[in-house]
Amino acid sequence: MSGLERRYHRLLRAYPAEYRRARGAEIVGTYLDLAGPGRRWPSPADAADLVRGGLRQRLRAAGAAGLIPGVRLAAVLAFLTATALAGTWSVLELRPPPAEWGTPTAGPFVSIGVAVWLGWLLAAVAHAAAPARWARRVIAVAVLLTLAVMPAAALADLPRPPLLVLVPQLGLGLVALALPDRLPAPVRSLPLLAAGAAALAQTNLQPPVDFVATSYQWVGSQVLPWTAAAMLAVVSLLGTWWAARADPRGGWALLVLLTPLGLLSLHILAGAADGLLHGAPRPGWAALAATAVVVALVGPALLPLAIALRGRARGAGPLGADARCPTCGHTAERVL
């Protein structure tokens, strides 16, 4: 066995064991036939293709074949929401407090967050005009900008958007990295249109004069919960529509979006946890931080739990293969 063949067999471990025994030799043989002369290592494209194929087979064996379409749907909705919020925050950045207030600003802008929002708007343009692989790269840059603005503001001693705004944007961006390769042109243009519509709406949303210096907090407390509610309503309606056609992608999309939804609703969730159940909750920093940690831990943990429960309900064996008889519904052990 050559070194290249051994390396392909290692990558083949992404597939369930039963599938490897049945088709592993055929799969590796195909890749070897297509490999160029003198190649010693699988190409990155081949490696990614094998890993993706193995993941699909494992999900199919666990009865979670709808997860990948659900992730793609979640990515589209997350990116649409992220760009709409970027349009809102971009307009807000153009409204620094009066100079006589002595409030720190980043030149003509409220904070250095303007660079983050421009990155997201550029991602919306790339999504509408460029191939999907380039759009995902620009989204990755926007995610890195969202992450980097926190240490950059500390090093430069300049104001930045509050974590209440940055953390949900980061959660949405991470989900948006799973955008599908092929989307209709009208759908590709939706994030750019959403950003423009949100920016136009923000021009008509003026915080009270007393709150100009802290307008991020004021607008965030108004916009983010409603954004979460709208996002939840959309994914629920789409999920119901697909569920009527025996397509579970809507349910999987909702599971994937639970963490961004929780982060968008952080102000309300933290207020409820802090015992403020009436009126506009104003939780303290400790309640916000603790709630964010819980959302960040619980949300992602629910997805593998749902996959495991789905596989258990279908009688999946330890190797991930569906062990139920298609006729009587008993497990393979009982059939034998």
Side-chain angles (χ1 to χ4, degrees):
M1 183 182 292
S2 67
L4 179 61
E5 186 176 357
R6 280 197 302 273
R7 293 178 182 108
Y8 274 121
H9 274 287
R10 289 195 192 104
L11 290 171
L12 201 65
R13 293 173 185 169
Y15 286 79
E18 291 290 341
Y19 195 91
R20 291 200 305 268
R21 283 193 288 269
R23 299 193 57 190
E26 176 189 349
I27 293 172
V28 171
T30 301
Y31 280 104
L32 289 174
D33 291 340
L34 296 175
R39 179 177 288 278
R40 299 178 58 191
W41 291 85
S43 68
D46 286 351
D49 190 49
L50 277 167
V51 171
R52 282 196 301 266
L55 177 61
R56 281 194 295 267
Q57 290 301 326
R58 288 184 180 274
L59 291 175
R60 187 176 291 114
L67 174 59
I68 293 177
V71 169
R72 291 170 179 162
L73 172 61
V76 172
L77 295 176
F79 186 52
L80 186 64
T81 306
T83 50
L85 289 173
T88 298
W89 307 134
S90 297
V91 172
L92 188 144
E93 281 286 347
L94 301 177
R95 298 171 175 168
E100 58 268 19
W101 284 27
T103 304
T105 60
F109 306 109
V110 171
S111 75
I112 62 171
V114 65
V116 175
W117 313 130
L118 289 178
W120 282 103
L121 296 179
L122 180 60
V125 173
H127 186 257
R133 65 181 183 275
W134 287 105
R136 281 195 294 268
R137 290 171 185 173
V138 182
I139 293 171
V141 171
V143 169
L144 291 175
L145 283 173
T146 308
L147 199 58
V149 73
M150 293 177 261
L155 290 172
D157 196 24
L158 289 171
R160 59 160 173 80
L163 293 178
L164 190 69
V165 169
L166 292 174
V167 172
Q169 192 76 15
L170 188 60
L172 291 167
L174 292 174
V175 176
L177 290 172
L179 278 172
D181 289 333
R182 295 179 181 86
L183 285 172
V187 177
R188 293 175 63 83
S189 302
L190 277 178
L192 189 58
L193 295 175
L200 185 62
Q202 172 61 18
T203 60
N204 298 315
L205 180 62
Q206 292 283 355
V209 174
D210 292 345
F211 283 85
V212 170
T214 56
S215 52
Y216 260 118
Q217 284 84 350
W218 187 86
V219 177
S221 66
Q222 305 299 309
V223 168
L224 294 181
W226 284 108
T227 301
M231 195 176 178
L232 179 60
V234 170
V235 73
S236 299
L237 288 173
L238 291 174
T240 303
W241 187 82
W242 267 305
R245 290 155 179 77
D247 189 335
R249 75 180 68 186
W252 290 115
L254 180 58
L255 274 174
V256 173
L257 290 171
L258 279 180
T259 299
L261 284 169
L263 294 174
L264 287 167
S265 309
L266 198 60
H267 205 262
I268 291 178
L269 294 176
D274 223 13
L276 300 174
L277 302 176
H278 304 288
R282 297 188 181 280
W285 166 252
L288 285 169
T291 307
V293 170
V294 171
V295 169
L297 292 176
V298 173
L302 290 176
L303 188 59
L305 178 61
I307 295 172
L309 292 175
R310 178 79 172 179
R312 193 179 187 87
R314 285 173 58 93
L319 296 178
D322 192 352
R324 287 191 179 273
C325 171
T327 303
C328 66
H330 293 305
T331 61
E333 290 79 6
R334 290 183 182 177
V335 172
L336 294 174

